[in-house]
Amino acid sequence: MEKQKKLNVGMVGFGSMGKTHAFAIHNLPYYYGTLPFTARVAGLCTTSYERSVALCEQYGFECAARNFDELIARDDIDIIDICTPNTLHADMICRALDAGKHVLCEKPLCVTADETAHIVEAEKRSGRVCGMVFNNRFMAPMLRAKQLIDEGRLGRILSFRVSYEHNSSTFADRAPGWKQTAEHGGGVLFDLGSHVIDLIRHLCGDFESVQGTSQIAFPTHGNWQTDADEAFYITARLKSGACGTITANKLATGVNDDLSLAIFGERGSIKYELMEPEWLYFYDNDRPASPIGGERGFTRIECGGRYPSPGGSFPSPKASVGWLRCHVESMYQYLSAVANGTPFSPSLYDGAYVQAVMQAARASDQNGGTRTEVIAP
């Protein structure tokens, strides 16, 4: 039997996403059976050494690091998993790569164009396996959607619409978290917008140009002066000629975590709702239209827990899926790439491309909504 490769992950940051990543790493054997690697959180660095020690004891991680330099200096750490506020990403990515580590980073990649350029160069010269956590790519219906599009079942893509909505900015008396600050998070465009921009590029292709419009509905939240967009609206043209709309909105009263997507092609269409994660809707325009409607109409495809082998057996292909499941698949794909020494997608370059689209959209907004070319990194 071939010996399993041991992958030791050093995690920096342990908020909700750090906890999610650790959950995914720990639970991989339950979903994928006999893995070609073993993975564990071998080191943790957070805002304080005392907190790191307490978390290591609580979750059974091997070692708490006093600071980031100590974490990346450890010879037994193979991968640095970055789950910190956005302003810290660029420096940590580059330092981890310079230390010879593989890197997995939460979205968005960074904050500024200069940081993006440095990261892209660092990734190129590193020879390491790098990845971005655009977890929605790994929802089972999105895997099926990608398959249908790559098979040509939609034909030439004509138009699209995608929207990611929360209600978290509708509470005027509550101060926002760091994601909703200009300095540390970049507002809703960087938070929710990065996810859906990546999905459109992943499924439909590269961007040509965008027009952007930002919105702040509540200038103050308690004692906090709002300094980042609470909603952002984009009209986009892709290089293929397809056009569509992209919405990132934290002013959606009454919603929870609503991501909706529709892509319309010459031969067919797909529709998806994150809050109904079991299903992908597919319209096949090649089916006969008559008599009395023929066989036309949207087909509801069972996706649910039907992940590619070896990931679809637990708990059952027929069992309902949750938000955590796509993070487990994302982590499995990334760690498999590290173990095999193969490239991973989405890469840091993919994150840089999303960054370029967001920067173009923001420039358009600042220039009165003028159409702005997207310059690939």
Coordinates of all heavy atoms in Angstrom, one line a residue, residues 95-146:
R95 N 4.9 36.5 2.5 CA 5.9 36.0 3.5 C 5.8 34.5 3.6 O 6.8 33.8 3.8 CB 5.6 36.7 4.9 CG 6.0 38.1 4.9 CD 5.4 38.9 6.1 NE 5.8 38.3 7.4 CZ 5.3 38.7 8.5 NH1 4.2 39.5 8.5 NH2 5.7 38.2 9.7
A96 N 4.6 33.9 3.5 CA 4.5 32.5 3.6 C 5.1 31.8 2.4 O 5.8 30.8 2.5 CB 3.0 32.1 3.7
L97 N 4.9 32.4 1.2 CA 5.5 31.9 0.0 C 7.0 32.0 0.0 O 7.7 31.1 -0.4 CB 4.9 32.6 -1.3 CG 3.5 32.3 -1.6 CD1 3.0 33.2 -2.8 CD2 3.3 30.9 -1.9
D98 N 7.5 33.1 0.5 CA 9.0 33.3 0.6 C 9.6 32.3 1.6 O 10.7 31.9 1.5 CB 9.3 34.7 1.1 CG 9.1 35.7 0.0 OD1 9.0 35.4 -1.2 OD2 9.0 36.9 0.4
A99 N 8.7 31.8 2.6 CA 9.2 30.8 3.5 C 9.0 29.4 2.9 O 9.3 28.4 3.6 CB 8.4 30.9 4.8
G100 N 8.6 29.3 1.7 CA 8.5 28.0 1.1 C 7.2 27.2 1.3 O 7.1 26.0 1.1
K101 N 6.2 27.9 1.8 CA 4.9 27.2 2.2 C 3.9 27.3 1.0 O 3.9 28.2 0.2 CB 4.3 27.9 3.4 CG 5.2 28.0 4.6 CD 5.8 26.7 5.1 CE 6.7 26.9 6.3 NZ 7.4 25.7 6.8
H102 N 3.1 26.3 0.9 CA 1.9 26.3 0.1 C 0.9 27.3 0.8 O 1.0 27.4 2.1 CB 1.3 25.0 0.0 CG 2.2 23.9 -0.6 ND1 2.6 23.9 -1.9 CD2 2.8 22.9 0.0 CE1 3.4 22.8 -2.1 NE2 3.5 22.2 -1.0
V103 N 0.0 27.9 0.1 CA -0.9 28.9 0.7 C -2.3 28.7 0.2 O -2.6 28.6 -1.0 CB -0.4 30.3 0.3 CG1 -1.5 31.4 0.7 CG2 0.9 30.7 0.9
L104 N -3.2 28.7 1.2 CA -4.6 28.8 0.9 C -5.1 30.0 1.6 O -4.9 30.3 2.8 CB -5.3 27.5 1.5 CG -6.9 27.5 1.3 CD1 -7.2 27.3 -0.2 CD2 -7.5 26.3 2.1
C105 N -5.9 30.9 0.9 CA -6.3 32.2 1.4 C -7.8 32.4 1.2 O -8.3 32.1 0.1 CB -5.5 33.3 0.7 SG -5.9 34.9 1.4
E106 N -8.4 32.9 2.3 CA -9.8 33.3 2.1 C -10.0 34.5 1.2 O -9.1 35.3 1.0 CB -10.4 33.7 3.5 CG -11.2 32.6 4.2 CD -12.4 32.2 3.4 OE1 -13.0 33.0 2.7 OE2 -12.9 31.0 3.6
K107 N -11.2 34.6 0.6 CA -11.4 35.7 -0.3 C -11.7 37.0 0.5 O -12.1 36.8 1.7 CB -12.6 35.4 -1.2 CG -13.9 35.0 -0.5 CD -14.6 36.3 -0.1 CE -15.7 36.0 1.0 NZ -16.2 37.3 1.6
P108 N -11.6 38.1 -0.1 CA -11.0 38.4 -1.4 C -9.5 38.3 -1.2 O -8.9 38.3 -0.1 CB -11.4 39.8 -1.7 CG -11.5 40.5 -0.3 CD -12.1 39.4 0.6
L109 N -8.8 38.4 -2.3 CA -7.3 38.2 -2.3 C -6.6 39.3 -1.4 O -5.8 39.0 -0.6 CB -6.8 38.3 -3.7 CG -5.2 38.1 -3.9 CD1 -4.8 36.7 -3.4 CD2 -4.8 38.3 -5.3
C110 N -7.0 40.5 -1.7 CA -6.3 41.6 -0.9 C -7.2 42.9 -1.1 O -8.4 42.8 -1.3 CB -4.9 41.9 -1.5 SG -4.8 42.2 -3.3
V111 N -6.6 44.1 -1.0 CA -7.3 45.3 -1.0 C -7.0 46.3 -2.1 O -7.8 46.9 -2.7 CB -7.1 46.0 0.4 CG1 -7.8 47.4 0.4 CG2 -7.6 45.2 1.5
T112 N -5.7 46.3 -2.5 CA -5.3 47.3 -3.5 C -4.7 46.6 -4.8 O -4.2 45.5 -4.7 CB -4.2 48.3 -2.9 OG1 -3.0 47.6 -2.7 CG2 -4.7 48.9 -1.6
A113 N -4.6 47.4 -5.8 CA -4.0 46.9 -7.1 C -2.5 46.6 -6.9 O -2.0 45.6 -7.5 CB -4.2 48.0 -8.2
D114 N -1.8 47.4 -6.2 CA -0.3 47.2 -5.9 C -0.1 45.8 -5.2 O 0.8 45.1 -5.6 CB 0.3 48.3 -5.1 CG 0.5 49.6 -5.9 OD1 0.4 49.5 -7.2 OD2 0.7 50.6 -5.3
E115 N -1.0 45.6 -4.2 CA -0.9 44.3 -3.5 C -1.2 43.1 -4.5 O -0.5 42.1 -4.4 CB -1.9 44.3 -2.4 CG -1.5 45.2 -1.2 CD -2.6 45.2 -0.1 OE1 -3.8 44.9 -0.4 OE2 -2.2 45.5 1.0
T116 N -2.1 43.3 -5.3 CA -2.5 42.2 -6.3 C -1.3 41.9 -7.1 O -0.9 40.7 -7.3 CB -3.6 42.7 -7.2 OG1 -4.8 43.0 -6.4 CG2 -4.0 41.6 -8.2
A117 N -0.6 42.9 -7.7 CA 0.6 42.6 -8.5 C 1.7 41.9 -7.8 O 2.3 41.0 -8.3 CB 1.1 44.0 -9.1
H118 N 1.9 42.3 -6.5 CA 3.0 41.6 -5.8 C 2.6 40.2 -5.5 O 3.5 39.3 -5.6 CB 3.2 42.3 -4.4 CG 3.8 43.7 -4.5 ND1 4.9 43.9 -5.3 CD2 3.5 44.9 -3.9 CE1 5.3 45.2 -5.2 NE2 4.4 45.8 -4.4
I119 N 1.4 39.9 -5.2 CA 1.0 38.5 -5.0 C 1.1 37.6 -6.2 O 1.6 36.5 -6.1 CB -0.5 38.5 -4.4 CG1 -0.5 39.1 -3.0 CG2 -1.0 37.1 -4.4 CD1 -2.0 39.4 -2.5
V120 N 0.7 38.2 -7.4 CA 0.7 37.4 -8.6 C 2.2 37.0 -8.9 O 2.5 35.9 -9.3 CB 0.1 38.2 -9.8 CG1 0.4 37.5 -11.1 CG2 -1.4 38.3 -9.6
E121 N 3.1 38.0 -8.7 CA 4.5 37.7 -9.0 C 5.0 36.7 -8.0 O 5.8 35.8 -8.3 CB 5.3 39.0 -8.9 CG 5.1 39.9 -10.1 CD 5.5 39.2 -11.4 OE1 6.5 38.5 -11.5 OE2 4.7 39.3 -12.4
A122 N 4.6 36.8 -6.7 CA 5.1 35.9 -5.7 C 4.6 34.5 -5.9 O 5.4 33.5 -5.8 CB 4.6 36.4 -4.3
E123 N 3.4 34.4 -6.4 CA 2.8 33.0 -6.7 C 3.6 32.4 -7.9 O 4.0 31.2 -7.9 CB 1.4 33.1 -7.1 CG 0.7 31.8 -7.4 CD -0.7 31.9 -7.8 OE1 -1.2 32.9 -8.2 OE2 -1.5 30.9 -7.6
K124 N 3.9 33.2 -8.9 CA 4.6 32.7 -10.1 C 6.0 32.1 -9.7 O 6.4 31.1 -10.2 CB 4.8 33.8 -11.1 CG 3.5 34.1 -11.9 CD 3.8 35.3 -12.9 CE 2.5 35.6 -13.6 NZ 2.8 36.8 -14.6
R125 N 6.7 32.9 -8.9 CA 8.1 32.4 -8.6 C 8.2 31.4 -7.5 O 9.3 30.8 -7.3 CB 9.0 33.7 -8.2 CG 8.6 34.3 -7.0 CD 9.6 35.4 -6.6 NE 9.3 36.1 -5.3 CZ 8.6 37.2 -5.2 NH1 8.3 37.9 -6.3 NH2 8.4 37.7 -4.0
S126 N 7.1 31.2 -6.8 CA 7.2 30.3 -5.6 C 7.3 28.8 -5.9 O 7.9 28.0 -5.2 CB 5.9 30.5 -4.7 OG 4.8 30.0 -5.3
G127 N 6.6 28.4 -7.0 CA 6.5 27.0 -7.3 C 5.6 26.2 -6.3 O 5.6 25.0 -6.3
R128 N 4.9 26.9 -5.5 CA 4.0 26.3 -4.5 C 2.6 26.2 -5.0 O 2.2 26.8 -6.0 CB 4.0 27.1 -3.2 CG 5.3 27.4 -2.5 CD 5.9 26.1 -1.9 NE 6.7 25.4 -2.8 CZ 7.2 24.2 -2.6 NH1 7.0 23.6 -1.4 NH2 8.0 23.6 -3.4
V129 N 1.8 25.3 -4.4 CA 0.4 25.2 -4.8 C -0.4 26.2 -3.9 O -0.5 26.1 -2.7 CB -0.1 23.7 -4.5 CG1 -1.6 23.6 -4.8 CG2 0.7 22.7 -5.3
C130 N -1.0 27.1 -4.6 CA -1.8 28.2 -4.0 C -3.3 28.1 -4.4 O -3.6 27.7 -5.5 CB -1.2 29.5 -4.4 SG 0.6 29.7 -4.0
G131 N -4.1 28.6 -3.4 CA -5.5 28.5 -3.7 C -6.3 29.6 -3.0 O -5.9 30.1 -2.0
M132 N -7.4 30.0 -3.6 CA -8.4 30.9 -3.1 C -9.6 30.1 -2.6 O -10.0 29.1 -3.2 CB -8.8 32.0 -4.1 CG -7.8 33.0 -4.5 SD -7.3 34.1 -3.1 CE -8.9 34.8 -2.7
V133 N -10.2 30.6 -1.6 CA -11.4 29.9 -1.1 C -12.7 30.6 -1.7 O -13.3 31.4 -1.0 CB -11.5 29.9 0.5 CG1 -12.7 29.1 0.9 CG2 -10.2 29.2 1.0
F134 N -13.0 30.2 -2.9 CA -14.3 30.6 -3.5 C -15.2 29.4 -3.4 O -15.3 28.6 -4.4 CB -14.1 31.1 -5.0 CG -13.5 32.4 -5.1 CD1 -12.3 32.6 -5.8 CD2 -14.0 33.5 -4.5 CE1 -11.7 33.9 -6.0 CE2 -13.5 34.8 -4.6 CZ -12.3 35.0 -5.3
N135 N -15.7 29.1 -2.2 CA -16.3 27.9 -1.9 C -17.6 27.6 -2.7 O -18.0 26.4 -2.9 CB -16.7 27.8 -0.4 CG -17.5 28.9 0.0 OD1 -17.0 30.1 0.1 ND2 -18.8 28.7 0.3
N136 N -18.3 28.6 -3.2 CA -19.5 28.4 -4.0 C -19.3 27.6 -5.3 O -20.2 27.0 -5.8 CB -20.2 29.7 -4.2 CG -20.8 30.3 -3.0 OD1 -21.7 29.8 -2.4 ND2 -20.2 31.4 -2.5
R137 N -18.1 27.7 -5.8 CA -17.8 26.8 -7.0 C -18.0 25.3 -6.7 O -18.3 24.6 -7.6 CB -16.3 26.9 -7.3 CG -15.9 28.2 -8.0 CD -14.5 28.0 -8.6 NE -13.9 29.2 -9.2 CZ -12.8 29.2 -10.0 NH1 -12.3 28.0 -10.3 NH2 -12.4 30.3 -10.4
F138 N -18.0 25.0 -5.4 CA -18.0 23.6 -5.0 C -19.3 23.1 -4.5 O -19.4 22.0 -4.0 CB -16.8 23.3 -4.0 CG -15.5 23.6 -4.6 CD1 -14.9 24.8 -4.4 CD2 -14.8 22.6 -5.4 CE1 -13.6 25.0 -4.9 CE2 -13.6 22.9 -5.9 CZ -13.0 24.1 -5.7
M139 N -20.3 23.9 -4.6 CA -21.7 23.4 -4.4 C -22.0 22.4 -5.5 O -21.7 22.6 -6.6 CB -22.7 24.6 -4.5 CG -22.7 25.5 -3.3 SD -23.6 24.7 -1.9 CE -23.5 26.0 -0.7
A140 N -22.6 21.3 -5.1 CA -22.9 20.3 -6.1 C -23.6 20.8 -7.3 O -23.3 20.4 -8.4 CB -23.7 19.1 -5.4
P141 N -24.7 21.7 -7.2 CA -25.3 22.2 -8.4 C -24.4 23.0 -9.2 O -24.5 23.1 -10.5 CB -26.5 23.1 -7.8 CG -26.8 22.4 -6.5 CD -25.4 22.0 -5.9
M142 N -23.4 23.7 -8.6 CA -22.5 24.5 -9.4 C -21.5 23.6 -10.2 O -21.1 23.9 -11.3 CB -21.7 25.5 -8.5 CG -22.5 26.6 -8.0 SD -23.2 27.7 -9.3 CE -24.9 26.9 -9.5
L143 N -21.1 22.4 -9.6 CA -20.3 21.5 -10.3 C -21.1 20.9 -11.5 O -20.5 20.8 -12.6 CB -19.9 20.3 -9.3 CG -19.1 20.7 -8.1 CD1 -18.9 19.4 -7.3 CD2 -17.7 21.2 -8.5
R144 N -22.4 20.7 -11.3 CA -23.2 20.2 -12.4 C -23.4 21.3 -13.5 O -23.3 21.0 -14.7 CB -24.5 19.7 -11.9 CG -25.5 19.2 -13.0 CD -24.9 17.9 -13.5 NE -25.9 17.3 -14.5 CZ -25.6 17.0 -15.8 NH1 -24.4 17.2 -16.2 NH2 -26.5 16.4 -16.5
A145 N -23.6 22.5 -13.0 CA -23.7 23.6 -14.0 C -22.5 23.8 -14.8 O -22.6 24.0 -16.1 CB -24.0 24.9 -13.2
K146 N -21.3 23.7 -14.2 CA -20.0 23.8 -15.0 C -19.9 22.7 -16.0 O -19.5 22.9 -17.1 CB -18.9 23.8 -14.0 CG -17.5 23.8 -14.6 CD -17.2 25.1 -15.3 CE -15.7 25.2 -15.7 NZ -15.5 26.3 -16.6

